[in-house]
Amino acid sequence: MEKNNKGKGKNQNSGSKKPNSQNKKKQGIESKPRPKTTAQARSVSRGEAIRAQKRSVEDATRLVSQYLTPTGDDNPKRANFIDNSPRLKIIGLGGMDGGGSKNMMLLEYMNDAVIVDCGNDLGVDLPGINYGICDTTYLESIKHKIKGYVITHGHLDHIGGLPHIVPKFPAPIYGSRFTIGRVEEIFQNFGLPMPQGFKLDTVIMNEHTHERLKLGEFFVELVAVTHSIPGSTVVIVDTPVGRVVNTGDFRLDPNPLDHEKTDTDRLKELGKEGVLALLSESTTTERPGRTPSESTIEQSFIDIMERAPGRMFVALFSTNVNRVQMIVNAAVKHNRKIALDGRSMMSTLEMAVRNGFMKIPKGTFIPINAVPNIKDQDVVVMCTGSQGEPNSALQRMAAGQHKHIKLKAQDTVVLSSTPIPESGNDSLIGSMVDNLMRMGVHVYRHETRELDNCGPLHVSGHASVDEYKDMINYLQPKFFVPIYGSYRSKQRHIEIAVEEGIARRDTLNAENGHVIAFTKDKMEVIGEVPVGTVLVDQTGAIVNNVVVKDRLMLAEEGLVTVILTIDKKSGQLMTSPDIISRGFIYMRDSEELMNLFRTELRRAVMQRYKRVDLDRFKAELKDYVTHFLYEQTQRSPIVIPVVNIINGKPSTTKQGGKDGKKQEPEKTADQIAKEQQDRFAALRQQLLGQDARVD
C-alpha cells in the first residue's frame, strides 16, 4: 500500500451539508414547489430568510475550513512567530494529521533551515479541486534561511508540492537517484510554466555510502530503507543541538525483490552514536506483527498468468517498480507481450528504465493500440486504476469508454492493491468491479484471494508494530515524535515507544503548526505558526477559497439570475422580467411559481426603484428575491440581480434643420415602441442563449 495516488483525508465534518437529493426529501423540499399565497408567504420573516442563507454560507465555510487555516480572508494570516534563540525548532507544516498527506517537516536553527519532504494531498474532497499543498505563510518570514529540501522518497504525498513551493522559495533539492528522477519528472510534467529565471537545482545523494553534505549549520545523510518505491531513505540531520532522524515511509522487508534491504547496520550505528529525536512515520501502527515481504506475491502473478484464458490486465501503483518488474518477469516466462496504459505509468517506468532500476528484455513492450491485433493469450496490460480513480485507464475500460480496449468475457483483471485507508476509495473500487463483472470479466482481488484460490496480490509498503519497535530500538532516541499519520495512529505509536523504554515525558503527539523546540535536554512546544491547505485545480493553478465556497453553495442550493430592463424616465419595466435558474428548480415544471415570481418583481420595481439609488436598489432587490424564494421553497440559492437602465426618451428631429439638410421624419410612438421591443428581444436572446432551462 502506498500513499501517492491516493484520495484520502476525506474527513468530512459531521455537521456539514452535502448536495444529496435524499437529504432534501427528508427536509420536505420538492423539485416542483407549489407557490404559497401572499398570506402564507408572509408568515416567513425576512430575518428567517436571511438567516437561512447565512447558514448555507456557514456550511460551505465549514467544509472548506477542514483544509484551510481558521484565519479568514478578513483577517490575513501572519507568521508573527519569532524565536532566534539557539534552540533547534521542528515544525510540521503538513503530515501531522489525517492519514499522513502533504508531508512537510521544517528544521530550523538560528539562521539556517532545512525542509524534509514537500508533498501534496490528493484526498481533498471539494468541487473542482485536484489536490492540496501546504500553506507556506511561515516560510515567507524565513525564506532567507532555507538551505535545501531533503526528500525521503518519491511518492506524491512527499514530493507533489515541490513545483508550487520551490519556485517561491528556491533552494537545492536533495535525494536518492530514483527520488531525484521522480522530482525531475513531476517538474517536467507540471502544467504551468515556471517563473522567469527559475532553474531547478537537484543533488543526487548516495544512500549506501553514508556521505554527508553540509547545508548551513546542518549535516545531512541518507540511509537506505525499504518501502513500496525504489530509493526510499531515512533522513539523518546532524544539528548543533543534536542528531534528528526522519524515517520517511518504511517497512523492514527482509527479502525485497531488488535486494535493496534496509541498512539496519547503519541505523544501529547511529543509535550507538546518539540520537536526540526520532521522527517516525505512523501510518499503520495499529497493525500487529510484521508486514510480509514483497517477494511473497511474485508466484501469484505467475500462477494467474498461467491459467488466464485470454488477455490479462493488472492494475497497480505506477511507482511500485519492484512489482512491475515481477509482472514483467512473469510475462516473459509465459511469452506474453506487455502494453502500458496510463500517463503516470508510462512516465514513471520510462524514468525507471532510463536510470537502470528495471531490466526489460528487448521487444517486451508494445503500444496499447496494438493490443487488439495480438492474440489474447499473448498479451498483458499494466495500467493505472487500482483505486478506482475516475478517468484512470482501468476505470475507462470498465465503463466501456477506452479508446483502444474493449473488454470481453475471457479477459482477466488483477487488482494488485487494497483500498487506501481513510480514502473512501472502497466504493469507487466496488463500482468498478461491478462493471467489470457485468462484462463477464474475472476479477482477482487481494481481499478475495482465498475464494479465487490464488496467492497474495498485495503487501503494504508500511511497517507493522514489530517493525516500528525495531526502528525505535535501532536508533534509541532521547525524544520521540511520531509523524506522518492520524492523531490516533501517532498516539498508538507513542504507546509502542513507551513499551520499548522511552519515557512518556519524552514523547509528543504534535499537531501541524506546533513549534517544537529542542535543547540537548529538553523538548517543548513553544508556539504555533500558520498552517493549512492551499487548493489546486486540474491545471495546477491555485484556487481561492472564496471560489470554492461559491461552488459548494451552487452545488447545494443552485443559482437564480433576475434580469430587469427599466425605463430610466418612468421607472417602469419595459419587458417582462427574465429569470435564469441553474441547479435550483426546473422552471418549465414550475410555471405557477414563475408567474408569481414575476408579479413580485414588478411590485418590487414599482415600490423601490424611484426611491433609492441604483446600487441600493440592486442590494434591496437581492434581499427581496432571497426572501421571496425562501418563502416559497425553503431554499436559499445564490441570487444575482442584473438591472439594465434604458433611456426611453425618443430622439425627435424635424425636417429642415438649421443646417438646411433634410432630416428624418419624426417617428411615431408605435414605431419607437417596436424598435425598442426588437432591441430588447435581441439583448434578451444574447443574455439567455438557447438553453432549454430558460423561461
Side-chain angles (χ1 to χ4, degrees):
M1 176 179 63
E2 67 178 66
K3 301 188 294 179
N4 69 317
N5 289 322
K6 63 190 175 186
K8 65 182 176 179
K10 301 179 184 178
N11 302 321
Q12 301 293 347
N13 189 301
S14 60
S16 64
K17 293 171 68 177
K18 298 289 288 180
N20 187 312
S21 59
Q22 292 181 349
N23 290 340
K24 295 187 184 300
K25 289 178 181 178
K26 291 178 182 178
Q27 297 167 10
I29 299 173
E30 301 177 355
S31 59
K32 295 173 60 176
R34 297 183 62 183
K36 302 177 183 179
T37 64
T38 302
Q40 290 173 325
R42 291 297 177 257
S43 64
V44 178
S45 70
R46 184 176 301 278
E48 185 178 346
I50 299 303
R51 286 193 296 273
Q53 189 173 62
K54 185 178 180 181
R55 284 195 297 271
S56 296
V57 175
E58 289 173 348
D59 288 336
T61 302
R62 189 180 300 115
L63 278 171
V64 175
S65 66
Q66 295 177 78
Y67 305 100
L68 306 177
T69 62
T71 312
D73 293 334
D74 296 333
N75 184 19
K77 295 169 285 185
R78 297 186 181 276
N80 53 11
F81 178 87
I82 300 175
D83 176 40
N84 291 320
S85 63
R87 293 186 287 184
L88 172 68
K89 296 184 288 295
I90 298 179
I91 306 169
L93 297 178
M96 307 295 279
D97 59 354
S101 59
K102 59 179 176 61
N103 301 296
M104 189 173 183
M105 303 296 299
L106 175 69
L107 280 70
E108 180 184 351
Y109 179 82
M110 301 290 284
N111 293 316
D112 297 287
V114 169
I115 295 170
V116 179
D117 289 334
C118 185
N120 65 12
D121 179 4
L122 285 167
V124 178
D125 187 20
L126 292 172
I129 301 301
N130 193 20
Y131 56 84
I133 60 173
C134 286
D135 186 323
T136 56
T137 300
Y138 180 65
L139 296 185
E140 296 281 356
S141 63
I142 65 160
K143 57 185 176 183
H144 61 286
K145 298 184 180 183
I146 300 173
K147 298 299 185 288
Y149 299 79
V150 186
I151 309 300
T152 60
H153 66 282
H155 281 153
L156 288 177
D157 57 330
H158 294 258
I159 65 172
L162 289 171
H164 297 275
I165 294 173
V166 174
K168 292 176 61 179
F169 310 100
I173 304 172
Y174 300 82
S176 67
R177 178 174 295 278
F178 189 88
T179 299
I180 293 301
R182 282 280 290 157
V183 169
E184 293 172 347
E185 179 189 352
I186 66 166
F187 271 88
Q188 290 169 2
N189 295 333
F190 191 58
L192 299 178
M194 290 291 114
Q196 187 173 5
F198 171 76
K199 184 178 180 181
L200 179 63
D201 185 4
T202 58
V203 180
I204 295 175
M205 296 181 66
N206 191 321
E207 65 269 37
H208 304 293
T209 60
H210 311 147
E211 66 173 328
R212 299 170 76 239
L213 298 183
K214 191 174 190 301
L215 281 68
E217 290 288 335
F218 305 113
F219 287 89
V220 175
E221 175 186 345
L222 301 182
V223 177
V225 71
T226 49
H227 183 39
S228 57
I229 186 173
S232 297
T233 59
V234 174
V235 173
I236 315 298
V237 184
D238 288 328
T239 78
V241 175
R243 175 172 291 156
V244 176
V245 178
N246 182 316
T247 66
D249 292 349
F250 74 95
R251 67 181 177 206
L252 302 179
D253 191 337
N255 188 29
L257 187 71
D258 58 8
H259 308 295
E260 299 287 347
K261 296 182 181 180
T262 300
D263 192 348
T264 55
D265 291 340
R266 179 55 180 160
L267 294 176
K268 292 175 183 177
E269 191 177 303
L270 291 167
K272 290 177 182 178
E273 293 173 2
V275 172
L276 175 70
L278 171 59
L279 314 179
S280 184
E281 74 111 331
S282 310
T283 307
T284 46
T285 55
E286 296 178 332
R287 185 170 61 206
R290 292 184 177 275
T291 302
S293 172
E294 179 81 10
S295 60
T296 60
I297 67 176
E298 186 170 17
Q299 188 62 41
S300 301
F301 294 114
I302 296 174
D303 293 342
I304 293 174
M305 208 170 291
E306 185 171 341
R307 64 195 190 203
R311 298 177 300 183
M312 181 170 168
F313 298 81
V314 184
L316 70 165
F317 291 117
S318 61
T319 53
N320 198 330
V321 173
N322 285 342
R323 198 166 299 178
V324 172
Q325 184 70 64
M326 290 181 191
I327 298 166
V328 169
N329 295 345
V332 170
K333 180 180 178 67
H334 290 89
N335 297 314
R336 289 184 181 237
K337 300 294 184 181
I338 299 174
L340 300 178
D341 198 14
R343 189 182 66 157
S344 62
M345 176 74 67
M346 291 184 282
S347 176
T348 302
L349 296 192
E350 189 275 332
M351 184 274 295
V353 171
R354 185 176 66 248
N355 287 282
F357 289 96
M358 290 188 65
K359 297 178 181 179
I360 310 293
K362 188 175 181 179
T364 300
F365 285 115
I366 60 172
I368 190 68
N369 59 5
V371 170
N373 302 323
I374 295 179
K375 292 181 180 179
D376 289 355
Q377 63 270 25
D378 293 339
V379 65
V380 175
V381 177
M382 286 191 291
C383 58
T384 57
S386 62
Q387 296 295 305
E389 304 96 319
N391 298 319
S392 63
L394 185 59
Q395 185 69 272
R396 284 183 280 119
M397 293 178 195
Q401 298 172 348
H402 195 277
K403 183 177 180 180
H404 303 293
I405 302 294
K406 183 174 178 60
L407 293 174
K408 42 193 174 183
Q410 63 266 39
D411 289 335
T412 296
V413 171
V414 178
L415 300 183
S416 185
S417 69
T418 55
I420 295 172
E422 302 188 36
S423 67
N425 288 349
D426 306 63
S427 60
L428 292 175
I429 296 172
S431 177
M432 181 179 69
V433 171
D434 286 345
N435 289 336
L436 291 169
M437 289 186 170
R438 285 189 182 99
M439 298 177 178
V441 175
H442 188 85
V443 182
Y444 287 91
R445 300 160 57 207
H446 182 71
E447 298 90 335
T448 58
R449 61 189 182 280
E450 293 182 1
L451 297 175
D452 290 321
N453 193 28
C454 71
L457 297 172
H458 176 72
V459 296
S460 172
H462 298 270
S464 297
V465 169
D466 290 351
E467 293 154 281
Y468 287 118
K469 290 180 179 179
D470 287 346
M471 184 64 76
I472 293 169
N473 289 321
Y474 292 157
L475 294 166
Q476 303 174 33
K478 179 174 180 60
F479 300 109
F480 179 75
V481 182
I483 61 172
Y484 299 169
S486 63
Y487 189 92
R488 65 181 181 279
S489 61
K490 292 190 296 172
Q491 190 60 41
R492 181 72 67 176
H493 207 170
I494 286 176
E495 300 305 322
I496 293 171
V498 170
E499 288 179 15
E500 298 307 304
I502 305 293
R504 190 175 293 276
R505 65 177 178 275
D506 294 330
T507 66
L508 177 65
N509 195 343
E511 304 274 12
N512 286 325
H514 283 177
V515 181
I516 313 169
F518 291 87
T519 63
K520 294 182 179 180
D521 302 308
K522 188 176 182 181
M523 171 180 67
E524 60 180 332
V525 176
I526 61 173
E528 292 186 47
V529 302
V531 290
T533 300
V534 175
L535 304 173
V536 182
D537 67 15
Q538 294 284 351
T539 69
I542 303 301
V543 181
N544 190 285
N545 62 314
V546 174
V547 174
V548 180
K549 289 178 186 178
D550 285 345
R551 290 176 181 174
L552 288 168
M553 291 185 64
L554 286 168
E556 181 68 19
E557 300 288 357
L559 174 144
V560 171
T561 300
V562 175
I563 303 171
L564 304 179
T565 303
I566 301 176
D567 185 294
K568 182 178 182 180
K569 183 177 180 181
S570 67
Q572 300 295 314
L573 282 170
M574 302 186 73
T575 63
S576 176
D578 291 316
I579 302 168
I580 302 173
S581 171
R582 294 291 185 273
F584 175 56
I585 57 174
Y586 186 55
M587 293 167 56
R588 291 189 175 180
D589 288 347
S590 308
E591 184 176 352
E592 192 176 354
L593 174 60
M594 288 300 100
N595 290 336
L596 180 59
F597 192 5
R598 287 190 175 84
T599 300
E600 290 295 317
L601 288 172
R602 293 187 185 95
R603 179 183 302 170
V605 172
M606 292 176 59
Q607 292 177 348
R608 300 163 188 262
Y609 175 70
K610 284 281 193 174
R611 300 179 182 179
V612 294
D613 60 49
L614 181 59
D615 290 338
R616 176 71 179 275
F617 173 71
K618 288 181 179 179
E620 291 188 1
L621 179 64
K622 182 177 179 180
D623 288 345
Y624 190 91
V625 172
T626 298
H627 186 198
F628 171 80
L629 294 177
Y630 186 75
E631 289 170 345
Q632 298 296 328
T633 68
Q634 298 297 297
R635 293 172 62 187
S636 297
I638 293 176
V639 174
I640 300 178
V642 178
V643 180
N644 299 310
I645 305 301
I646 304 297
N647 188 350
K649 183 178 180 180
S651 175
T652 58
T653 57
K654 298 182 180 180
Q655 294 184 4
K658 292 182 180 180
D659 56 4
K661 294 183 180 180
K662 186 177 180 180
Q663 301 294 329
E664 292 293 330
E666 182 177 353
K667 297 179 180 178
T668 66
D670 290 341
Q671 289 174 323
I672 295 171
K674 186 178 185 308
E675 287 181 359
Q676 290 178 338
Q677 289 291 341
D678 292 342
R679 185 167 66 253
F680 297 151
L683 176 63
R684 182 184 185 191
Q685 186 66 26
Q686 184 178 0
L687 287 169
L688 303 182
Q690 302 295 327
D691 198 309
R693 291 172 292 178
V694 176
D695 184 33

